[in-house]
Amino acid sequence: MKQVRRERPVYPRVFCCIPGCKRSTTRIAPPCESVICGSCWRRAPKHLRDYYSRFSRRLTIARKRNSDRVALLEHVVDQAFRRVWKALLEQPLGDDIPTLMREQLRKDGLL
Ligand SMILES: [Zn+2]
């Protein structure tokens, strides 16, 4: 049996919108211009991530059903994304290191 290899489309490179993070992707279709990479996403508060994913799922379902709530849900999902983004901007990179480990890293001169 011949295996069919599915080609994944490649789009223009989009960088993670968190300052200091250098990750990027070519898997997101335009017009998307801002993305939060997986490792930054996991640093965001869980309740904000859950809120985003709950309404993102509702938006996907609404689009499939051609519902008239699509525009409203798009707005809610956009606001939820911005809340995650703001939370990450207030928490600079490296802030997720536990206090004891941070102290040890400082003693060793690594921080
Ligand atoms: Zn990132």
Side-chain angles (χ1 to χ4, degrees):
M1 189 158 128
K2 191 181 169 193
Q3 249 188 340
V4 179
R5 189 177 177 157
R6 197 192 304 170
E7 295 275 324
R8 288 205 294 182
V10 175
Y11 302 106
R13 187 160 293 281
V14 178
F15 285 87
C16 177
C17 62
I18 304 303
C21 179
K22 291 174 181 153
R23 290 169 181 250
S24 62
T25 182
T26 53
R27 301 292 180 204
I28 312 269
C32 178
E33 50 200 38
S34 53
V35 68
I36 298 176
C37 75
S39 81
C40 288
W41 186 259
R42 281 187 294 278
R43 292 190 306 111
K46 178 133 174 60
H47 70 277
L48 293 180
R49 289 184 282 148
D50 287 349
Y51 184 82
Y52 172 84
S53 64
R54 187 181 324 135
F55 283 96
S56 183
R57 275 196 305 272
R58 288 183 190 175
L59 175 60
T60 304
I61 292 167
R63 279 183 177 148
K64 279 181 188 166
R65 292 179 181 162
N66 240 343
S67 163
D68 53 351
R69 295 177 63 207
V70 169
L72 173 70
L73 286 168
E74 277 175 348
H75 178 74
V76 173
V77 168
D78 184 59
Q79 291 302 310
F81 181 86
R82 285 169 196 275
R83 284 171 71 186
V84 171
W85 181 49
K86 270 188 184 169
L88 287 170
L89 290 181
E90 289 163 6
Q91 177 194 344
L93 279 174
D95 235 30
D96 52 344
I97 303 173
T99 314
L100 280 176
M101 189 185 289
R102 177 182 298 280
E103 284 172 12
Q104 187 60 46
L105 287 172
R106 252 195 214 118
K107 276 182 198 163
D108 296 345
L110 296 172
L111 252 180

